[in-house]
Amino acid sequence: MMHNWNFVLPPSRPSIIEIQRIREHIHDFPKDVPVGILGSTPEYRDLLHELGFSNIYIFDKNTKFYQQMSTIRAYTNGEYFVEGDWLNTFLECKNMFQFLLSDLTIGNIEYCQRELFYSHIYNSLLPHGLFFDKVLTHPIRNFTIKNLNDKYKLLPVNLETINHFSCEYLFCSQLLELKNIVDTSLFYDELEQEFKNDLKLNKLSLLAEKFITPRNCTWYYGESWVNVEKTYCKMFNSRLIYSDIKSSPYYKRLTHFINKK
Ligand SMILES: C[S@@+](CC[C@H](N)C(=O)[O-])C[C@H]1O[C@@H](n2cnc3c(N)ncnc32)[C@H](O)[C@@H]1O
């Protein structure tokens, strides 16, 4: 899986602005009512501890990943770890949480399971509960490979560039249209062909593969937002919507939702 999470930067992880936004919304919530995180996101786990929450639930199907993420945290506070697929584990948690945090989880859920998934989230929240959810939405056209090549040929080879390379080529480019999913092995094969006469682009691709997004991964991104939105958090009463910042590689393609039950 994500073997080198230390090299992965926002927007593929929670940004300072997103963390601050969540902090402002939840800082005066009661500290003893259960709160939860989808996935093992270290930044969110540190945040909830800093704010003094005492019943923190982490939902992840991968215990090893949870343990690995624990090593890059600031704190070692107690948490309830719930192992298993979100589609099963949330069934056991009806009306339990005052809020849930989620950073880029939608791509892990097959398109046909989305409606069910969001109904489980809804049901696990208390009345008026909040679901903070950062979503890669694809509301506009994908980048063409040609335009990306022109841009990346001029960029320095560093950690920021390879992070942006992963975001733009793998998650927001025309490659998505091959299968309507992200298939990293297939995408790197395609790029290898594309870059065979360009040393710099080839190097960026190899570094992105080594440090940011490995082969053998699949995510359910590629459908356009008009279609995806039809099954997105339909049961919720209201939502606040925040866009990503201009300097982000996901600018105009990423939304931080605060859905209210
Ligand atoms: C939250 S997501 C995206 C990464 C996120 N940006 C972060 O900072 O952690 C990654 C985590 O979700 C977990 N995961 C993915 N699909 C899952 C599922 N269906 N049920 C439970 N956990 C899942 C993975 O094991 C991984 O720990």
Side-chain angles (χ1 to χ4, degrees), residues 1-2 5 8 11-14 37-44 59-63 65-66 69 82-90 101-109 117 134 219 221:
M1 274 238 30
M2 289 306 185
W5 206 249
V8 179
S12 306
R13 293 173 66 156
I37 305 174
L38 283 78
S40 304
T41 317
E43 295 90 333
Y44 286 170
F59 294 86
D60 202 306
K61 63 182 178 187
N62 187 338
T63 307
F65 192 70
Y66 169 72
M69 290 301 101
V82 186
E83 185 191 7
D85 194 307
W86 297 320
L87 289 166
N88 300 321
T89 47
F90 277 102
L101 306 182
S102 146
D103 189 68
L104 297 173
T105 54
I106 194 170
N108 293 298
I109 309 296
F117 172 63
K134 188 170 99 187
W219 283 280
Y221 290 115

Side-chain angles (χ1 to χ4, degrees), residues 183-196:
D183 174 341
T184 59
S185 297
L186 172 69
F187 287 9
Y188 283 121
D189 287 344
E190 294 282 324
L191 292 175
E192 207 175 289
Q193 282 304 309
E194 174 76 22
F195 299 156
K196 55 176 192 275

Side-chain angles (χ1 to χ4, degrees), residues 112-129:
C112 62
Q113 302 274 29
R114 297 265 171 93
E115 205 161 352
L116 183 66
F117 172 63
Y118 292 113
S119 74
H120 287 347
I121 301 290
Y122 179 91
N123 290 330
S124 72
L125 288 168
L126 287 162
H128 311 295

Side-chain angles (χ1 to χ4, degrees), residues 45-46 49 66 69-79:
R45 293 161 63 194
D46 280 347
H49 178 63
Y66 169 72
M69 290 301 101
S70 299
T71 68
I72 59 170
R73 286 194 53 199
Y75 313 109
T76 53
N77 56 289
E79 296 170 328

